[in-house]
Amino acid sequence: MRVSFGDCVLDLERRQLVRGDRDVHLTPKALDLLALLVAERPRAVAKTEIRDRLWPGTFVSESNLTTLVAELRAALGDAARSPRYVKTVHRFGYAFCGSAAELLGRPPPGRRRGPHFTLEWAGGEVSLHDGENVIGREEDATAWIESASVSRRHARIVISEGTATLEDLGSKNGTFLRGERLTSAVVLASGEQILVGVVPLRFRAFATADSTRTPPARST
């Protein structure tokens, strides 16, 4: 089944999200969350139900779900304060609040797409979208990091034309790359470790199936 909403198409059979003319990479759990919210629309789904459906028989902290929601909103170009698709139901859970329709017929043939990027850390992983991806403790951060050493808007990764650039945002405890504290924007290579405060993160770049461009890994 394929479901269309806004400029997005969710293909449940292929487990694929397309936004505009590009394939958007989502971690498996984030895709499962989107599929659940779309399937249950417009019903608000309780956090306990979401955890039971996504992590059956496993205890996970609420921050795992918060990180997934942040990843999903970033992928959809959504915002917590003025949601178009994923709405927070205060002290309860989340709901899909956009207009959606099932698409009939076969999906269109694949198109040439560029690389996609992810950021990983202990207990979390997010996909990075075109434009600004904030790392920090603020609610709308693309990479929401729960650590006292991390500022609300600590750093950002900007994706533009297949290139990822890291920049510190005047954080108290600094952003470190290649053993040095950042004082200016730096282009990232796949596999590099970033340190925000005391929290290590791993940046990765992946080529899509029909892309001929693969960002090189930094030599060590």
Side-chain angles (χ1 to χ4, degrees):
M1 182 177 72
R2 293 186 300 135
V3 180
S4 173
F5 51 93
D7 61 348
C8 301
V9 174
L10 173 63
D11 190 324
L12 296 175
E13 183 176 344
R14 293 183 175 182
R15 292 185 59 81
Q16 179 185 51
L17 175 67
V18 176
R19 182 180 173 199
D21 62 352
R22 61 185 291 266
D23 189 7
V24 179
H25 174 74
L26 283 174
T27 56
K29 291 295 186 186
L31 190 64
D32 290 342
L33 175 60
L34 177 58
L36 171 61
L37 295 179
V38 168
E40 297 295 333
R41 69 184 190 281
R43 180 175 74 90
V45 185
K47 293 178 182 179
T48 53
E49 181 180 347
I50 294 173
R51 288 195 290 266
D52 288 344
R53 297 275 291 272
L54 267 59
W55 295 278
T58 304
F59 173 79
V60 294
S61 68
E62 189 163 330
S63 63
N64 290 70
L65 180 54
T66 303
T67 298
L68 277 190
V69 172
E71 176 189 350
L72 194 52
R73 282 175 170 150
L76 298 175
D78 209 3
R81 291 185 177 87
S82 54
R84 293 184 300 158
Y85 305 120
V86 180
K87 178 177 68 175
T88 300
V89 181
H90 187 54
R91 294 186 179 179
F92 182 78
Y94 300 94
F96 187 87
C97 58
S99 298
E102 184 176 345
L103 296 176
L104 302 177
R106 298 177 61 85
R111 287 164 289 191
R112 180 183 176 89
R113 298 181 291 270
H116 64 260
F117 307 94
T118 64
L119 199 60
E120 307 167 1
W121 65 97
E125 178 183 349
V126 295
S127 295
L128 305 177
H129 56 83
D130 286 346
E132 180 184 73
N133 298 266
V134 172
I135 304 168
R137 289 190 293 109
E138 72 171 6
E139 183 180 357
D140 293 340
T142 303
W144 184 77
I145 311 293
E146 188 178 16
S147 170
S149 70
V150 176
S151 302
R152 289 183 58 80
R153 287 177 57 87
H154 194 105
R156 68 177 182 176
I157 296 176
V158 177
I159 306 295
S160 177
E161 299 182 350
T163 299
T165 304
L166 174 67
E167 181 181 4
D168 184 76
L169 296 177
S171 65
K172 178 181 178 181
N173 295 313
T175 303
F176 299 82
L177 182 71
R178 303 163 199 165
E180 297 183 0
R181 184 166 182 162
L182 291 188
T183 56
S184 60
V186 177
V187 174
L188 288 167
S190 184
E192 289 199 291
Q193 180 173 284
I194 303 163
L195 195 66
V196 291
V198 299
V199 180
L201 304 93
R202 183 72 61 182
F203 169 79
R204 299 192 187 279
F206 303 89
T208 53
D210 54 358
S211 172
T212 58
R213 179 180 179 184
T214 305
R218 178 176 172 81
S219 59
T220 55

